[in-house]
Amino acid sequence: MAYPAAVFFDAYGTLIHFPADPSPFDYMADAVRRAGVDLPRERLDGALQAEMRYFKAHFSAVRTSEDFQRLKLDDARVYVTELGDTGPVRLDVAQMAAELHEAFATRVLPDALPAIEVVRAAGVRAGVLSNYSYLLPLVLEGLGLAERLDPIVFSAAVGAEKPDRRIFEAAAAAIGAALADCVLIGDDLENDVAGARRCGMPVVWIARDGATAPPGVATARDLADAARMALAPGWRSLSLAESLA
């Protein structure tokens, strides 16, 4: 049986995710208390909101790990400045940078590595196809995933976001294959599923929450099952039979 030329995984929500418990707001409130500062929660949350606005306005300029480190320190300075008077204890910017990084640290979803290894064990390339900034390769490297995933195709580098056909074409071109010879696994019905279907790339929707799939959409409840579907006979028609009829 012929396998796909590559199985591409969406990144956030599919392979990796942001922490939910504790929330970044709860985490940073505790971090400031551990540093010996007692401030009203309103001030703590307001400072974090300011930090988040700063990060959002500047993260797209990051290209290297050095850029990322500078941004984290600048972020922490914004946070500490927004907190205002902290009494006799002066918060250390480097310490707050480390705490902020941990508060928002991306986590690898439990079923991600097994799914990637299922694909790689079959001799098939496992790649990433994601809407994200130049931070994505740095994030994946920090999580130990970059060495397992090739190619890593993301919207900032391509200049187009899913569901735009151009990013799917870029992914296929990166491995020298046709769109129909690749499979995408993703969690977003519009960006991943509808986008892939419109350009003729087989796709599996990952719905860990048990949500009901739209008609004709190949659905898996975990990534290991999704990877097996991408390698099983009939993979070429995953989610495509109805959309191409």
Side-chain angles (χ1 to χ4, degrees):
M1 182 191 76
Y3 286 128
V7 174
F8 287 96
F9 296 87
D10 171 56
Y12 281 98
T14 300
L15 291 177
I16 56 182
H17 71 133
F18 292 118
D21 186 25
S23 74
F25 289 92
D26 289 341
Y27 181 95
M28 288 308 300
D30 182 62
V32 171
R33 282 194 295 269
R34 284 189 277 105
V37 174
D38 185 17
L39 292 175
R41 183 60 184 261
E42 182 178 353
R43 279 176 63 185
L44 293 165
D45 289 356
L48 190 57
Q49 288 166 350
E51 177 274 334
M52 291 167 66
R53 289 193 297 270
Y54 184 88
F55 185 89
K56 185 176 181 180
H58 293 86
F59 79 97
S60 61
V62 171
R63 295 290 187 277
T64 67
S65 57
E66 292 77 15
D67 291 341
F68 196 17
Q69 291 303 317
R70 281 193 293 270
L71 177 58
K72 287 191 284 188
L73 285 172
D74 289 343
D75 238 17
R77 291 188 186 98
V78 170
Y79 181 70
V80 171
T81 299
E82 288 292 327
L83 285 176
D85 183 11
T86 56
V89 178
R90 185 173 181 179
L91 293 173
D92 180 72
V93 169
Q95 180 186 351
M96 287 299 101
E99 295 287 12
L100 285 163
H101 179 72
E102 182 61 27
F104 290 97
T106 305
R107 312 293 200 249
V108 180
L109 285 159
D111 53 356
L113 282 173
I116 293 169
E117 292 311 311
V118 164
V119 173
R120 286 162 53 91
V124 176
R125 291 178 72 168
V128 169
L129 176 51
S130 176
N131 287 349
Y132 211 71
S133 73
Y134 282 92
L135 271 176
L136 183 60
L138 301 176
V139 169
L140 295 177
E141 183 178 358
L143 294 171
L145 293 180
E147 62 191 30
R148 295 177 168 87
L149 297 163
D150 177 51
I152 297 171
V153 180
F154 54 100
S155 57
V158 174
E161 294 187 346
K162 295 179 290 184
D164 191 305
R165 181 185 182 94
R166 289 173 293 173
I167 192 169
F168 294 94
E169 291 175 336
I175 60 166
L179 288 161
D181 292 333
C182 307
V183 177
L184 173 65
I185 298 172
D187 68 309
D188 190 294
L189 282 172
E190 175 57 26
N191 291 335
D192 297 321
V193 177
R197 292 177 96 180
R198 283 195 288 266
C199 66
M201 181 183 286
V203 57
V204 178
W205 181 46
I206 176 73
R208 295 184 180 89
D209 61 359
T212 301
V217 173
T219 305
R221 299 307 180 193
D222 62 62
L223 278 182
D225 281 344
R228 285 189 285 269
M229 291 169 66
L231 300 173
W235 62 265
R236 287 187 177 277
S237 63
L238 288 168
S239 304
L240 295 184
E242 179 177 287
S243 63
L244 300 181

